Amino acid sequence: MGKKWLIIAGEEAGPRSNKMGGIWDVIDAEATTLASLIDSKEIKDESMPKIIVVGPYYGHSGADWNKGLNRITDISELEEFRNDEDVSAAIETLRLSGIDAISGVRKISNLEIIYLLFNTETFSRVPAEYKGVDMSLENKVKSEAYELLGLDSLTYENMDNGTEYCHYLNLSYAISEFICELFKISQKKLKEYKNIHLSETKRPADSNIQLSLHCHEFSVFYAIARLKKICLPLKTVATYHATLPGRVAGHYAIQKIRNNDSSWSEGVPRNLAELESLSKYADVVTAVGESTRKEVKLFYGVSGILVRNGILIENDGLDWEKKKQCREKIQMFLSDNLYKYHDGEQSSPKKVIPIFSISRIEIENKGYPDLLDSLVLLDRMVKSEILMGKLDEDVRVVCFLVTAHGQKTNLPLGFPINLPKEVLIGEELRLQKMIEERGLECSNLPSGRRCVSAVLYPQWLSDHDEGLNMNHDEFMTGCIAGVFPSRYDPFLLTGLEAGKEYTPSIVSKVCGFSDALKTVKTLVPGMGGVVVVDNVDVSYNETIVDYAIAMDYFLDSYLHDKVKYNLLCEEAYLLAGEMNWELPTKHYYELLTGVKIIKI
């Protein structure tokens, strides 16, 4: 039995410090779930596949092509890699050719995941030769890409995002070169064996190698195309989490699909879209949501299959004490700071009800106008319930809008209740203006002018974010509900992340996992722990009314029927549990290896 290598690649692959968004969570969950399934014999494969996660390495400040994020890769949690001579030999060959590779190991149960991270920043300074001409390694990569696939890097590198394009091309080249070296090593071993044992036809046990490559997103699709063009025998899967034309079209993408309109909206980055189109060279193309699968077919003419995302649940069940403590911390923070920084009466912490929305800062795509309009309606509903005696007069609802261009430092005391305009940049300013235009500023809560407000939280959540100082899990479990009104969202992992923290949520029909809710076990009659609002087939007015009704439903359950509310929390948690990573990981394994393991 030979060696079987499963290689998972992506721009966000690697340690958590490489994270830009949700795709890091997906790659990490796939790798760790795969390791657990192999170690537990849930995946029965006599060859004992080995897992390699490959991505970029940013060794210092300024190395990241994305200067706004300025990621610095931290490998301190990885153990030293030393156990496989084939991988070590391949890494050494790459280093001799000028490709700097940093390696490490992470153990999941008894199985090791190998991490291999490439420093592409040096490519422009590494001397190389291509067809007898001396040039930099980066120019060699571009010249070969033009010859193999017609990629016009001379044009693409001079676009506004040229640095990003070059990084992706270099990263994909490094990944494909590593795979080539692994294959060459197996062929060399086989040849050496045959030279010694000319009369034998049986191969040595470790000379036969099976390579499989799973690429997440367009940033590494060139690796697949290059390996196919140089005819390396391996199985490849390209996974779309969205499409570039779809992201630019945003909520209009649904209309384009319905009208079979394959035209690209203005603003699609042509160079990156060219890389995205290279998925056509993969053996299998997958999409995480049905709408994304349709986009791939519409915009690129590539047929794919649906393999949904999942959520990795590491806790041992519902921790009600944690939920209570986190909620009380948020409520105390709000009660104290609303009174401290704004005129009016102080509400009891227990009467200040936190809800939240969290996303990347795409105001229209993530449905922030819809959410703000529905909060205005919710304000009228809460005021009416106070007048009718159904709610105490000091009940206040605060909806955190967690979205930011990047991490911030030196924030003022009381942030984000105390939120000077100087703190905000770009789209954050526009979103704050939208809040103010609707009169939803939190300054209106103590006076009673508003009973519902929206509080922009333009920061990456962490235990040292200079605001609530809470990690994602603590923040999500401390709020009574999450609201995710996306107009365009291929999957919406945040909805599952809220459920993982046993927090009920409201999601739009357009999101990629809403169809799965039809099979969720219901614990209480009514709307359930995850409410789907139709933002596709009904009018805008009906949609925002439905968002407001759903928020009021969770508010009423929390305030008046704790048993029911806890059951709604449990429903949300059960959904996250049913949408775990086991099934999609097994599906990917079958696609990559041809070994059937899913029982129908």
Side-chain angles (χ1 to χ4, degrees):
M1 184 68 66
K3 287 186 176 181
K4 183 179 289 184
W5 293 101
L6 302 176
I7 301 163
I8 305 171
E11 165 63 19
E12 296 189 53
R16 183 173 288 274
S17 49
N18 276 8
K19 180 179 173 69
M20 288 197 299
I23 296 175
W24 182 90
D25 298 279
V26 170
I27 293 172
D28 183 68
E30 180 188 355
T32 53
T33 303
L34 182 58
S36 296
L37 291 173
I38 293 172
D39 182 66
S40 67
K41 309 300 183 184
E42 182 73 19
I43 290 180
K44 297 179 181 178
D45 194 327
E46 294 180 3
S47 61
M48 284 300 291
K50 297 191 175 183
I51 304 165
I52 305 179
V53 174
V54 291
Y57 179 77
Y58 303 110
H60 57 85
S61 179
D64 188 357
W65 60 266
N66 190 326
K67 303 308 179 187
L69 290 179
N70 194 27
R71 291 166 291 170
I72 301 175
T73 305
D74 179 10
I75 61 171
S76 60
E77 294 184 1
L78 301 180
E79 299 177 18
E80 184 180 353
F81 168 70
R82 60 166 70 93
N83 293 333
D84 191 276
E85 62 179 25
D86 291 356
V87 173
S88 297
I91 292 172
E92 183 59 28
T93 303
L94 292 181
R95 285 177 176 156
L96 292 174
S97 69
I99 299 176
D100 188 18
I102 290 82
S103 60
V105 167
R106 175 185 173 195
K107 283 191 175 181
I108 302 296
S109 298
N110 296 311
L111 203 76
E112 290 185 342
I113 299 175
I114 300 170
Y115 287 83
L116 191 57
L117 310 173
F118 297 104
N119 179 10
T120 65
E121 186 201 17
T122 62
F123 275 41
S124 62
R125 302 189 295 273
V126 173
E129 179 184 305
Y130 185 66
K131 294 194 170 180
V133 179
D134 292 332
M135 59 183 70
S136 69
L137 177 57
E138 182 169 280
N139 285 335
K140 174 184 176 180
V141 172
K142 295 172 186 173
S143 299
E144 186 195 58
Y146 180 78
E147 183 171 313
L148 289 176
L149 294 154
L151 291 178
D152 185 8
S153 297
L154 287 176
T155 298
Y156 295 157
E157 68 183 352
N158 289 307
M159 293 180 172
D160 291 342
N161 59 351
T163 301
E164 181 181 1
Y165 166 81
C166 292
H167 164 71
Y168 293 153
L169 201 66
N170 293 337
L171 176 62
S172 296
Y173 176 86
I175 292 168
S176 58
E177 275 295 278
F178 167 70
I179 293 171
C180 286
E181 290 304 324
L182 266 185
F183 180 74
K184 289 176 184 176
I185 288 168
S186 70
Q187 296 302 100
K188 182 180 179 182
K189 282 187 174 182
L190 178 61
K191 184 177 180 181
E192 290 173 350
Y193 186 89
K194 284 183 175 180
N195 288 338
I196 297 173
H197 305 276
L198 295 175
S199 61
E200 298 183 20
T201 58
K202 185 178 179 181
R203 293 186 178 196
D206 62 348
S207 67
N208 185 32
I209 187 170
Q210 180 179 336
L211 294 163
S212 303
L213 174 63
H214 185 188
C215 289
H216 286 270
E217 284 283 82
F218 66 90
S219 53
V220 288
F221 284 176
Y222 175 63
I224 291 175
R226 180 173 184 263
L227 290 167
K228 290 297 179 179
K229 280 294 185 178
I230 62 180
C231 301
L232 197 80
L234 81 164
K235 190 77 172 177
T236 57
V237 173
T239 292
Y240 281 86
H241 296 260
T243 67
L244 289 168
R247 281 203 183 279
V248 172
H251 54 285
Y252 295 109
I254 295 174
Q255 199 62 41
K256 282 182 172 290
I257 292 170
R258 287 177 171 176
N259 296 337
N260 197 30
D261 177 9
S262 61
S263 64
W264 291 3
S265 303
E266 185 178 351
V268 176
R270 187 158 56 94
N271 49 2
L272 303 187
E274 190 69 27
L275 295 179
E276 191 165 70
S277 71
L278 298 179
S279 66
K280 62 189 176 185
Y281 290 97
D283 295 310
V284 181
V285 172
T286 71
V288 300
E290 181 60 21
S291 62
T292 302
R293 188 188 68 81
K294 291 177 180 178
E295 287 176 25
V296 175
K297 181 65 175 177
L298 178 68
F299 295 124
Y300 296 118
V302 175
S303 298
I305 63 174
L306 177 65
V307 180
R308 65 159 176 83
N309 277 335
I311 191 77
L312 189 62
I313 296 181
E314 297 170 327
N315 52 38
D316 297 325
L318 286 74
D319 187 343
W320 297 110
E321 185 58 30
K322 174 187 175 182
K323 193 169 187 67
K324 177 176 179 289
Q325 291 176 359
C326 291
R327 183 179 64 247
E328 289 177 350
K329 178 179 179 179
I330 296 173
Q331 290 175 315
M332 183 64 72
F333 175 91
L334 289 173
S335 177
D336 289 348
N337 285 287
L338 284 169
Y339 180 68
K340 180 177 181 180
Y341 291 98
H342 303 295
D343 294 333
E345 298 295 324
Q346 183 172 12
S347 290
S348 164
K350 292 183 178 181
K351 300 295 179 62
V352 184
I353 313 302
I355 61 178
F356 78 98
S357 187
I358 185 170
S359 74
R360 67 177 71 196
I361 191 156
E362 296 177 5
I363 291 177
E364 277 71 32
N365 282 356
K366 298 305 180 183
Y368 283 108
D370 310 22
L371 175 55
L372 293 176
D373 287 343
S374 66
L375 288 172
V376 174
L377 289 177
L378 180 63
D379 178 71
R380 307 312 301 170
M381 295 168 71
V382 171
K383 282 186 174 180
S384 296
E385 291 170 20
I386 290 174
L387 289 173
M388 290 185 289
K390 293 182 179 180
L391 290 177
D392 293 338
E393 63 179 16
D394 59 344
V395 167
R396 299 292 184 265
V397 179
V398 174
C399 182
F400 289 107
L401 311 183
V402 185
T403 184
H405 282 292
Q407 191 171 10
K408 295 178 174 64
T409 56
N410 299 319
L411 293 169
L413 293 174
F415 171 86
I417 298 302
N418 178 25
L419 186 63
K421 290 287 177 64
E422 294 77 19
V423 169
L424 306 177
I425 59 173
E427 290 289 88
E428 298 166 1
L429 283 163
R430 184 160 75 95
L431 184 53
Q432 181 62 25
K433 183 180 179 182
M434 293 168 66
I435 292 171
E436 293 170 0
E437 287 172 345
R438 291 164 174 81
L440 288 170
E441 312 99 290
C442 62
S443 58
N444 290 322
L445 292 180
S447 66
R449 183 173 179 270
R450 287 286 193 195
C451 294
V452 175
S453 76
V455 172
L456 179 59
Y457 201 125
Q459 175 66 306
W460 290 354
L461 294 176
S462 73
D463 59 6
H464 55 278
D465 67 12
E466 301 181 48
L468 285 167
N469 293 322
M470 302 175 78
N471 290 320
H472 280 81
D473 60 319
E474 296 169 324
F475 175 77
M476 286 185 172
T477 199
C479 291
I480 72 153
V483 191
F484 310 108
S486 294
R487 297 177 182 176
Y488 175 83
D489 209 310
F491 189 75
L492 188 64
L493 273 173
T494 46
L496 289 180
E497 288 171 351
K500 173 183 172 182
E501 302 305 330
Y502 30 101
T503 295
S505 62
I506 303 159
V507 303
S508 61
K509 183 178 178 180
V510 79
C511 80
F513 81 85
S514 61
D515 285 342
L517 302 179
K518 298 172 184 175
T519 62
V520 177
K521 181 181 178 182
T522 300
L523 299 181
V524 292
M527 292 184 176
V530 181
V531 178
V532 180
V533 170
D534 188 349
N535 64 341
V536 177
D537 297 315
V538 302
S539 70
Y540 179 76
N541 286 342
E542 290 174 287
T543 295
I544 62 170
V545 167
D546 286 345
Y547 281 130
I549 290 173
M551 287 187 282
D552 187 60
Y553 171 68
F554 289 134
L555 176 64
D556 181 71
S557 299
Y558 170 75
L559 289 173
H560 297 134
D561 192 341
K562 284 296 196 299
V563 173
K564 178 180 178 181
Y565 176 73
N566 288 347
L567 288 172
L568 295 174
C569 293
E570 191 172 345
E571 273 192 26
Y573 181 78
L574 287 173
L575 169 64
E578 290 179 14
M579 298 282 284
N580 62 46
W581 262 103
E582 183 172 323
L583 184 60
T585 299
K586 288 180 176 180
H587 202 161
Y588 283 134
Y589 187 83
E590 286 193 357
L591 296 175
L592 288 165
T593 65
V595 177
K596 182 172 177 57
I597 56 174
I598 299 175
K599 297 177 181 179
I600 301 177

